[in-house]
């Protein structure tokens, strides 16, 4: 459709024409989006059109990350001699202020912070959640990383690397998005660049390796490349596999990537075990051991263990309380602590906070 969305129509309702396709003009697209999302603001950048009711700073930060990624990814895939072309449409990103509004627009699995919809060609996200208050640094890392991840999906689908409605295996679709998505969170969140260590996925992998039997026998890779649905460990393994391949077996991986980039919309999926084996071999145990050795060699700092924590103390007479929290909502923490004191001791309680 002129706005970039895909629609299914019965053939009898269509008319062949030689008239060239014309995308909707930016002003007309903005007007259409404002009708769909009344009360939302719009922000136009070189490649993106953001529709938002979040804070201006949230919109600006996320759009800067996406705009920084776009030219780097476009140039990267062109250097690999993949067929790339500039998008016909502005890349639309819809930003909701709250999780409630995000879910009201389209109900999604709980915990999902953002997603790319390949049918209407838009990325959707939201700003505020409980995690934002309870663990703000981790929330910022997760939010920024997820936005970058979904941004990669949108870019690949719009420059022709991954054709919309093509049946890419999940491991490469999600693994390559994770490979290009690492971000940093500090005073200002930013995109780290192509192929930097993804600490959130490394943490997920390391935690699961402690629980799983027979690590190194190839079962992690086999599960990831054959999965029809993903859980968190599959994301971590897929990122690890892509990072390993692009570091140690780059030529093989680029050949594989050129192959999957030729997969056509609505085409029946190929046997991924066979295709994977053609490029990377069938000795999955050896491959898994080499992959894990590579990931363990990368620089790593646990993002959860290294976030700021606060020691909150409360003293009233001889009564003492202490707690450690990562929440910046210290007022609510203090109230909970105060409720553990007898009524008579509460007015004289003295609090201390140490970061």
């Amino acid at each position: 459709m002129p706005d970039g969305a895909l629609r299914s129509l019965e053939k009898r309702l269509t008319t062949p024409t030689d008239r060239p396709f014309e995308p909707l003009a930016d002003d007309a697209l903005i007007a259409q989006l404002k009708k769909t999302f009344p009360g939302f603001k719009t922000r136009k950048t070189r490649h993106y059109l953001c529709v938002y009711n979040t804070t201006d700073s949230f919109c600006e930060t996320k759009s800067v990350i996406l705009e920084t990624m776009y030219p780097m990814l476009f140039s990267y895939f062109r250097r690999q001699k993949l067929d790339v072309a500039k998008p016909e449409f502005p890349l639309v990103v819809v930003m909701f202020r709250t999780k409630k509004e995000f879910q009201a627009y389209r109900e999604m699995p709980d915990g999902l912070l953002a997603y790319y919809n390949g049918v209407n060609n838009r990325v959707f996200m939201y700003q505020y959640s409980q995690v934002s208050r309870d663990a703000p640094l981790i929330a910022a890392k997760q939010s920024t990383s997820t936005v970058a991840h979904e941004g990669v999906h949108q870019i690949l689908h719009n420059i022709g690397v991954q054709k919309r409605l093509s049946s890419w295996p999940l491991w490469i679709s999600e693994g390559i998005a994770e490979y290009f998505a690492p971000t940093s969170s500090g005073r200002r969140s930013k995109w780290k660049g192509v192929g930097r260590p993804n600490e959130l996925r490394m943490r997920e992998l390391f935690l699961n390796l402690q629980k799983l039997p027979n690590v190194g026998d190839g079962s992690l890779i086999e599960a990831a490349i054959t999965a029809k649905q993903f859980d968190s460990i599959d994301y971590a393994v897929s990122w690890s596999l892509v990072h390993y391949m692009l570091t140690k077996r780059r030529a093989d991986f680029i050949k594989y990537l050129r192959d999957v980039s030729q997969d056509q919309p609505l085409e029946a999926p190929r046997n991924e075990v066979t295709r994977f084996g053609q490029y990377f071999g069938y000795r999955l145990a050896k491959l898994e051991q080499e992959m894990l050795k590579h990931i363990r060699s990368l620089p790593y700092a646990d993002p959860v263990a290294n976030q700021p924590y606060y020691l909150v103390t409360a003293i009233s007479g001889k009564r003492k309380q202490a707690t450690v929290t990562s929440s910046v909502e210290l007022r609510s923490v203090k109230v909970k602590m105060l409720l553990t004191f007898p009524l008579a001791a509460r007015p004289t309680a003295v609090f201390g906070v140490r970061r």
Side-chain angles (χ1 to χ4, degrees):
M1 304 302 292
D3 64 353
L6 300 175
R7 280 183 59 194
S8 175
L9 296 170
E10 291 184 37
K11 188 175 181 179
R12 64 183 179 82
L13 299 177
T14 66
T15 305
T17 178
D18 292 327
R19 182 166 56 87
F21 176 77
E22 293 183 12
L24 210 58
D26 288 359
D27 289 346
L29 179 57
I30 289 172
Q32 178 180 299
L33 289 166
K34 283 188 171 182
K35 286 184 179 179
T36 306
F37 302 99
F40 281 53
K41 303 178 189 177
T42 58
R43 174 187 173 88
K44 181 82 170 67
T45 66
R46 185 175 180 184
H47 300 101
Y48 289 86
L49 176 55
C50 301
V51 187
Y52 67 100
N53 69 347
T54 63
T55 61
D56 290 334
S57 61
F58 179 87
C59 176
E60 180 183 2
T61 299
K62 305 311 180 193
S63 61
V64 166
I65 289 171
L66 294 169
E67 198 62 73
T68 304
M69 289 170 52
Y70 176 88
M72 296 293 289
L73 267 63
F74 190 93
S75 298
Y76 180 91
F77 288 107
R78 185 166 57 184
R79 287 197 304 273
Q80 311 314 318
K81 296 183 171 54
L82 273 77
D83 294 331
V84 294
K86 293 181 180 179
E88 293 182 286
F89 318 93
L91 305 180
V92 175
V93 181
V94 181
M95 305 178 181
F96 295 98
R97 183 175 178 84
T98 66
K99 179 180 178 180
K100 183 177 180 180
E101 294 169 296
F102 173 83
Q103 290 285 18
Y105 177 77
R106 182 184 180 191
E107 190 171 352
M108 300 300 291
D110 192 44
L112 192 71
L113 302 174
Y115 64 93
Y116 167 68
N117 185 318
V119 176
N120 63 26
N121 200 31
R122 296 170 185 173
V123 168
F124 297 86
M125 68 185 72
Y126 65 94
Q127 180 174 8
Y128 291 115
S129 68
Q130 184 63 39
V131 180
S132 304
R133 295 181 289 272
D134 293 343
L137 184 64
I138 296 303
K141 280 181 177 289
Q142 289 176 334
S143 173
T144 306
S145 180
T146 303
V147 168
H149 175 107
E150 300 305 328
V152 173
H153 283 312
Q154 189 179 37
I155 291 169
L156 297 193
H157 281 82
N158 280 269
I159 65 175
V161 173
Q162 184 177 2
K163 297 175 177 62
R164 288 167 70 188
L165 302 188
S166 60
S167 299
W168 270 29
L170 276 178
W171 84 267
I172 182 63
S173 181
E174 301 301 340
I176 205 163
E178 285 295 307
Y179 178 80
F180 286 106
T183 54
S184 62
S185 300
R187 294 184 65 182
R188 194 169 186 85
S189 300
K190 62 181 182 179
W191 183 56
K192 286 184 179 180
V194 174
R196 299 294 294 274
N198 190 323
E199 292 177 339
L200 290 171
R201 290 308 177 197
M202 291 176 76
R203 182 175 190 273
E204 186 72 31
L205 183 68
F206 294 153
L207 287 176
N208 276 280
L209 290 180
Q210 299 171 16
K211 307 172 190 174
L212 296 173
N214 306 319
V215 171
D217 67 353
S219 56
L220 284 174
I221 291 179
E222 184 178 9
I225 68 173
T226 58
K228 303 301 181 187
Q229 290 185 321
F230 259 25
D231 58 21
S232 58
I233 183 61
D234 292 321
Y235 278 97
V237 172
S238 295
W239 168 78
S240 302
L241 193 52
V242 171
H243 199 285
Y244 165 75
M245 293 294 187
L246 277 169
T247 307
K248 303 293 186 180
R249 300 184 59 177
R250 185 180 189 83
D252 292 336
F253 184 83
I254 297 303
K255 289 176 184 175
Y256 171 86
L257 190 58
R258 289 176 189 150
D259 188 338
V260 295
S261 72
Q262 297 305 309
D263 289 358
Q264 298 301 309
L266 304 179
E267 191 175 56
R270 291 167 57 181
N271 184 310
E272 183 56 16
V273 173
T274 300
R275 177 158 58 177
F276 185 92
Q278 288 172 348
Y279 289 95
F280 308 120
Y282 296 92
R283 298 174 62 188
L284 298 186
K286 185 174 185 293
L287 182 61
E288 186 169 299
Q289 292 162 19
E290 292 172 348
M291 177 193 78
L292 293 174
K293 180 181 178 180
H294 168 69
I295 297 302
R296 288 182 175 121
S297 72
L298 298 177
Y300 172 69
D302 188 318
V304 173
N306 288 281
Q307 69 175 312
Y309 286 85
Y310 302 90
L311 172 65
V312 185
T313 56
I315 302 174
S316 181
K318 293 183 178 181
R319 295 182 178 276
K320 299 179 181 179
Q321 273 277 16
T323 190
V324 175
T325 178
S326 61
S327 175
V328 291
E329 295 289 320
L330 296 179
R331 181 180 175 82
S332 62
V333 174
K334 291 177 181 178
V335 168
K336 289 178 182 177
M337 293 175 69
L338 198 60
L339 292 175
T340 66
F341 283 63
L343 282 172
R346 293 176 189 176
T348 58
V350 177
F351 287 93
V353 178
R354 184 173 169 185
R355 191 173 187 271

